[in-house]
Amino acid sequence: MGNVSGKDEIEDSGDDTAPSRSDIDPGSAHVRRIRSVGSAENWPPESTGRSLPPVMFAPQVPVAPLQGAAEAPHVLQQAWMNNPDPALDGPPEKGIPTLITWNYGGNVVLIEGSWDNWTSRRPMQRSGKDCAILMVLPSGVYQYKFIVDGQFRYIPDLPSATDEMGNITNLLDVHDYVPENVESISEFNLPPSPNSSYSWALPTNEDFSKEPPVAPSQLYLTVLGMQNTDEASLKPQHVVLNHLFIEEGSSSQSMVTLGLTQRFQSKYVTVVLYKPMRR
Amino acid sequence: MFSRATENSQEGAGAAGSVLLPVVCSLTPGLHQFKFFVDGEWRHDERQPFLTGNYGIVNTIYLPPESALLSPRTPNSRVGMDLDNEPSPPMAAEPDGSMQDTALRISEADIKLSRSRISIFLSSHTAYDLFPDSGKVIALDINLPVKQAFHVLYDEGISVAPLWDCARGQFVGVLSALDFILILQELGNRGSNLTEEELETHTISAWKDGKHQMFGQLDEHGRPLQGNIIHAGPYDCLKDVALKILQNKVSTVPIMHSSSQDGSFPQLLHLASLSGILRCICRHFRHTTSSLPILLQPICKIPLGTWVPRSEDQSGRPLVMLRRNESLSLALSLLVQAKVSSIPILDENNSLVDTYSRSDITALAKDRVYAQIHLDEMSIHQALQLGQDAHSTYGGFNGQRCQMCLRSDPLLKVMERLATPGVRRVIIVEAGSKRVEGIISLSDVFRFLLG
C-alpha cells in the first residue's frame, strides 16, 4: 500500500521523536503516528502547534446573507434567476450568481452598474420592505448604484468608492470561489490530549516490516494526483490537511514524491516535493 | 569575416604561441559569427561560445547596442538582429511616428494619473491576494539528478521549481528552463552526443555550483548558493513583489512564510509572477476603465515594448526573430546571449507561425529526445512539433501559445491577454500578412505601469 498516512509533526526543537498514540480505532480521529518513509530530515512542518485536524468542519457554503452583497452567495431560488448578462468582451467567463439587496425603503428601486458600463437600469424585485436582485456576473470588481424614486443612492455600510467629481458608488467584488470562513475554524477548540500514560516505545525495525495499519477512508479524499483542469482546483477536505502523503509505487524507484496540504489563513496550499531515495 | 560571406580576413600577424592577438574591428550591434584563420587553417576558439552553423563550427559574439536614449521612454532590454539571410543593418525600434508627431502621443497627464492609481492599487493589496483558493506548488530536492528534474518539470507541465535543501532546511534557489538550456548547450559542446550517465548522476546542486563558477555574470538565479533565495512574504504588498521581479530579472518569486523569527521551517505558499499580479489589476479595473485612461489607448501610441522599426534610425534595439528551419542550437544560443525569453518564429514569407520560448526546452524530455539528437541537427520547427504533441491543452497557433494582437488594439486587450496564465508576451502583427511588428512582454507592461 503506497499511501502512508502519518503525522510528521516536527517539534520546534527539531527533534523527530513522535510519541505514539494508543488507538487505531478507525472511528476516532487519532491516528497512530508512523514516521514516513525516507524522511529522516526535516520537512517544513505545519506550525499551528496541534497536529490533529478537527473531525467536524464548518460548512463550506455559507448561507446566503440577506443583507449585503459583499460576498458571493449561491443561488437561493431558481425562480429568481435573471437573464444572464450578454457576453462581455473577451472569452465567456463563468458567471457567479450574486444577490444585491436594498433595505432602505423607497417605492421604485432600480440598479445600474459597471457590469454593462452603466447602460441599463434594472428594476429590483420587492418583497415586503426589501428589494433584491440576482445578477450573474463573471468574477471581478464592479461599481454600482441605486436609483430610488429617481434619486441616486448608495449603501453606506458596504464598500464604496468616490470618484473625482464626488460621486459615490458601491463596490462589489465577485469571487469565483467561496472564501473560507476562518472564524468558524479558528474558534473551534481542539480537544485536549486524552489521559493516558504516553509511554509507548518507538517502533522498531520489526514493527516496520509488518503491514502498516489501514488508513481511515477519509484520508483518501486528497486533491493530490488530480489534474489541474482549471485555475480553481478542488478544495481539499479539512480531514486531509497536515497529512504527509507519498506517491504510490514511488518508494521502489530512485525518486520519491511527497505531498502535503496545509491551510494558510483561508486558502489552501498543496506542496509536492520530489526527493531522491538513497538505497 | 563578420556576418558576411566575404574573405575579408582581419587577423593580425603574430608570433605563434602568443596568447593574445587583439584585433579591433568596429561592428554593428547584434549577433555575429566568426572564425580564426591561423597558419592557413580555419580554427575556432573553444573557450568562447561557439555553435555549428553554415560555415562549420563558428564562434559567436553578441554585441548589445549602446543605449542611445532619445526620449524619456524606458528602453527595452531586448536586443538582437534579424537573422534572415539578407544582410540588414540593425535598425531602431521606436513606435511609428512618435518622435515627429507629438499630437498622436497620449498625454503625460493620463499616464501619470493611471500610474498613480495602479500604484495605489498595488500598494494596498498583498501577495496573499495572488493565491488561488486551493493552489499547488511543486518543489525539487536539490540532490535530485538533473535528468530526473527535467522529467519532473515536463510531466508536471511547469518551467520553474523551487529547490529544497534538506540539510539546511531551507529553500535555496529555483531550477528554471534556462538551466536546462545551459546544460544542454554545455553537454552538446563537448562534441559527442549527450551521455545519459552524465545527466543521471549530476545533481542539481553540483550543477548550480558549477554554473556559478562558470557564469559569474549570469544573474538569473546565479547568486551563490550560500546566499539567500529571492523570495517574498505573503503580506508583502504587490508593488514590492512586482519590483522585486523586475529588478532581479526573474520570472517568478516564491512566496514563503515562516512563523519563527529566524526564518526556519519555511512554508512554501505560491510562485508569484507578473502574470498573476496583472490578473489582479485587470480584474479590478476592467469594468472601471474610466479610472485608468490609458487602458483604452491603442498600443502603438504607448511607449512600451520592442518594435520592428519602420525607418532607418540607428538607435534603439532590434527584434530577435528566426526562421523555422533554423537549427535549434541557434535558437538556444540566442535565448541565452540576447537574454530574451522567447523568439518569434517566422516562415519563408516572414509571417509569424509560432514562438520559441525558454520554457519550450522541457518538451525535449518527451521520449528522451534530448539524448538522441544533436541540437544543431534539429530544426526549430521540429522542436515546436514536439511541444505541440505533448501539451494538447496549448493548441498550436490559435491557442494560448502564440498570443497576437494588432497595433491598434487597446492596452486593456493586451493586458488581458498577458494576464492569461502561461502567456508572458504578446506579439504585434500586421493584419492579414501576420508580419511581426513588435513584441510586448509582461515586464514591458510593468515597467511602464510602475514608471
Side-chain angles (χ1 to χ4, degrees), chain A residues 10-12 14 41-47 88 93 114-115 139-143 164 173-175 177-178 225-226 228 231 233-236 254-255 262-276 278, chain B residues 113 117 128-145 148-149 152 155-156 164 166-167 169 171 234-235 257 259 265-270 279 283-289 291 413 416 421:
Chain A
I10 312 292
E11 315 296 330
D12 268 5
E41 303 86 354
N42 291 333
W43 168 268
E46 167 59 37
S47 50
L88 304 171
E93 290 182 28
S114 60
W115 39 75
S139 164
V141 175
Y142 304 91
Q143 296 177 342
E164 301 89 39
D173 193 348
V174 177
H175 292 285
Y177 59 86
V178 179
M226 290 183 180
N228 268 352
E231 273 292 307
S233 27
L234 296 172
K235 205 187 283 206
S254 59
M255 185 171 71
Q262 296 175 317
R263 179 174 63 83
F264 184 79
Q265 290 203 350
S266 50
K267 299 187 183 176
Y268 298 94
V269 180
T270 302
V271 180
V272 176
L273 177 72
Y274 289 85
K275 272 173 71 79
R278 273 179 293 254
Chain B
L113 177 65
R117 290 235 166 94
Y128 178 75
D129 297 329
L130 296 174
F131 300 2
D133 189 36
S134 172
K136 188 169 166 187
V137 190
I138 314 286
L140 301 172
D141 187 295
I142 202 165
N143 290 317
L144 209 57
Q148 287 186 315
V152 167
D155 291 333
E156 294 277 359
W164 170 252
C166 280
F171 289 96
Y235 305 115
H257 177 67
S259 46
F265 306 123
Q267 206 179 344
L268 180 63
L269 297 172
H270 186 66
R279 215 171 309 144
R283 185 174 177 274
H284 202 265
F285 286 105
R286 73 164 65 104
H287 297 286
T288 53
T289 49
S291 56
K413 186 168 177 189
E416 296 273 11

Side-chain angles (χ1 to χ4, degrees), chain B residues 356-386:
Chain B
Y356 195 80
S357 320
R358 280 200 287 240
S359 50
D360 288 326
I361 195 73
T362 52
L364 287 184
K366 180 187 180 190
D367 299 331
R368 297 220 288 261
V369 168
Y370 58 81
Q372 294 155 17
I373 51 106
H374 279 285
L375 290 179
D376 30 274
E377 286 165 14
M378 185 176 231
S379 76
I380 301 178
H381 182 63
Q382 291 168 324
L384 289 172
Q385 297 285 71
L386 272 183

Side-chain angles (χ1 to χ4, degrees), chain A residues 34 111 127 136 147 165 197 215 248:
Chain A
I34 305 165
I111 191 171
S127 77
V136 180
I147 299 112
M165 266 108 58
S197 63
E248 213 164 334

